């Protein structure tokens, strides 16, 4: 199964935006995960960043929109708020998408397993479109 969704990236206003869109569209909140919810690492999240949103999603009439705040320490460029997220349990298919998008593009995050996905990558293609590829467990 393959799911394609818009992904909105904000700089510290994600929770506010999710609540706004939830109200405006009568959307169902599918959950909010904050930076402070991440499993332990060598570098714990500083207190002032713990409430930033790592990932959130809403559903509007069966359509999903996903959100996050920028990663701590990352730059935020107005105009880069919207990316396209492809989610699938077909990891080989995601790897093919990654290879195709990376050709003449810019890999922003190499394919890798993360605590939230068995295969995750971010690629900006040769046309300037940023894609997030996220594997789901079967």
């Amino acid at each position: 199964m393959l799911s394609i969704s818009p992904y909105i990236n904000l700089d510290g206003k994600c929770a506010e935006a999710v609540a706004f869109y939830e109200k405006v569209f009568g959307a169902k909140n599918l959950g909010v995960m904050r930076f402070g919810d991440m499993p332990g690492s060598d570098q714990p999240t500083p207190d002032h960043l713990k409430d930033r949103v790592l990932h959130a999603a809403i559903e509007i009439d069966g359509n999903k929109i996903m959100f996050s705040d920028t990663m701590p320490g990352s730059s935020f460029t107005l105009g880069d708020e919207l990316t396209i997220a492809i989610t699938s349990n077909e990891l080989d298919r995601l790897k093919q998408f990654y290879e195709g998008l990376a050709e003449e593009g810019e890999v922003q995050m190499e394919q890798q397993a993360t605590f939230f996905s068995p295969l995750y990558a971010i690629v900006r293609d040769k046309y300037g479109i940023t894609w997030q590829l996220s594997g789901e467990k079967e």
Side-chain angles (χ1 to χ4, degrees), residues 22-110:
E22 189 177 356
K23 179 181 175 185
V24 167
F25 296 115
K28 178 182 179 184
N29 187 318
L30 300 177
V32 176
M33 181 186 306
R34 300 187 183 271
F35 283 100
D37 298 332
M38 287 193 296
S41 72
D42 296 343
Q43 300 176 346
T45 304
D47 287 340
H48 70 282
L49 298 176
K50 287 185 177 182
D51 285 334
R52 288 176 78 93
V53 175
L54 177 65
H55 178 77
I58 61 173
E59 184 178 296
I60 305 167
D61 292 343
N63 299 288
K64 188 189 290 187
I65 300 176
M66 297 185 281
F67 303 82
S68 71
D69 278 316
T70 53
M71 296 290 286
S74 297
S75 63
F76 179 77
T77 304
L78 199 57
D80 286 346
E81 302 89 357
L82 186 66
T83 62
I84 300 171
I86 297 180
T87 307
S88 178
N89 58 5
E90 300 174 48
L91 302 185
D92 288 339
R93 194 168 182 200
L94 288 177
K95 289 176 185 177
Q96 289 175 341
F97 293 161
Y98 174 85
E99 294 298 324
L101 293 167
E103 190 174 318
E104 297 184 52
E106 173 192 344
V107 173
Q108 296 181 339
M109 183 174 180
E110 294 281 343

